[in-house]
Amino acid sequence: MTAKRLIDSYREHPYRNIFLVLMGITLFDALFPNEFARGRFSNLSMAAILAAALWETVRNRRNAVAALVIGLPAIGARLVSAFVPDSELWNGSVLFVTTIFFGFLIWNLLHDLLWADRSTSERIFGALCGYVFIGILFALVYTHIEYRNPGSFAFPESGQVASESLESDLFPEFTYYSFVTLTTLGYGDIQPVAEHARTLSWMEALIGQLFLAVMVAGFVAQHMTESAQRSFMEKRGLSPGDDE
């Protein structure tokens, strides 16, 4: 019965559970020793995030075949990357399949939030998952830009990123930079220098604000409205189908 209840809970609240997985992995990554987290764990955590998202996409059976075709190579590539040396060709291939899958996930998630029959609380968690996915997607792109063209970003002199850093070393740094940019916090310790790096940075900041203001805030307002209506009807002993 316990296992059945867990499965039923997951089916009822898939986006909530994916969001908790995202936050749990992020917290674990932040607290884990850097010697391990900056290489193998970064790829393993990415594979776990992709697997959780793929499971939900396939479970819904909408675009399940496309999700498997795109998602399984991305997950497999990340798992292999945790145990093989970095190389420009391999990293480029891994970035490509991972980016394509994240793009697919974001598109599929937004379509599901807007058109599928979901509770407003699940829509809120889904929108938050999309927000995190956008941050990770930009982090991947920034990482590859700096790896292919060192000097595209300026790091503080006291920073731990060297010019010969591997892509797996760079990803934690750009995960931090991506979410600082997405939330427009802007500490300024990492700065875009190259023109394409600057363009992507302001685009991410703009997307982050629009996503929060339009998508997340809209679902929160809808949830508050529905909660107020339910409370109003419960106080008067009315059911949802009753007319005043």
Side-chain angles (χ1 to χ4, degrees), residues 1 9 22 27 38-39 43 62 70 83 94 106-107 123 129 137 142 168 207 212 214 216 221 227 231 235 237 239-240:
M1 290 297 295
S9 175
L22 289 170
L27 179 62
R38 288 182 178 276
N43 284 303
R62 180 178 171 274
I70 300 172
F83 302 98
V94 173
I106 293 170
W107 174 82
R123 292 178 192 274
C129 288
L137 179 61
Y142 294 142
S168 57
I207 290 171
L212 287 177
V214 177
V216 179
S227 297
S231 178
K235 288 180 180 179
S239 63

Side-chain angles (χ1 to χ4, degrees), residues 99-176:
T99 301
I100 293 297
F101 186 46
F102 264 113
F104 172 82
L105 286 175
I106 293 170
W107 174 82
N108 194 70
L109 185 147
L110 293 178
H111 187 280
D112 187 64
L113 293 180
L114 293 173
W115 302 109
D117 184 18
R118 298 278 187 185
S119 66
T120 51
S121 61
E122 268 301 285
R123 292 178 192 274
I124 292 171
F125 278 111
L128 293 176
C129 288
Y131 191 69
V132 176
F133 285 160
I134 291 171
I136 296 174
L137 179 61
F138 272 93
L140 290 167
V141 176
Y142 294 142
T143 299
H144 197 63
I145 287 175
E146 179 64 22
Y147 180 74
R148 294 291 296 272
N149 300 288
S152 296
F153 292 84
F155 295 87
E157 293 183 2
S158 58
Q160 299 180 3
V161 176
S163 58
E164 67 275 8
S165 294
L166 302 176
E167 191 164 356
S168 57
D169 298 321
L170 293 170
F171 180 69
E173 298 291 337
F174 282 110
T175 299
Y176 158 78

Side-chain angles (χ1 to χ4, degrees), residues 220-239:
V220 170
Q222 182 181 355
H223 181 68
M224 293 176 65
T225 300
E226 292 178 356
S227 297
Q229 289 176 343
R230 278 197 302 271
S231 178
F232 177 83
M233 298 183 73
E234 287 173 358
K235 288 180 180 179
R236 286 158 179 76
L238 301 173
S239 63

Side-chain angles (χ1 to χ4, degrees), residues 160-227:
Q160 299 180 3
V161 176
S163 58
E164 67 275 8
S165 294
L166 302 176
E167 191 164 356
S168 57
D169 298 321
L170 293 170
F171 180 69
E173 298 291 337
F174 282 110
T175 299
Y176 158 78
Y177 172 76
S178 179
F179 282 99
V180 166
T181 303
L182 186 68
T183 58
T184 65
L185 185 59
Y187 284 124
D189 48 350
I190 302 176
Q191 300 177 4
V193 176
E195 183 177 354
H196 54 287
R198 291 181 176 181
T199 301
L200 285 172
S201 295
W202 72 253
M203 285 180 62
E204 182 183 16
L206 180 62
I207 290 171
Q209 293 307 294
L210 291 176
F211 195 93
L212 287 177
V214 177
M215 184 70 70
V216 179
F219 289 144
V220 170
Q222 182 181 355
H223 181 68
M224 293 176 65
T225 300
E226 292 178 356
S227 297

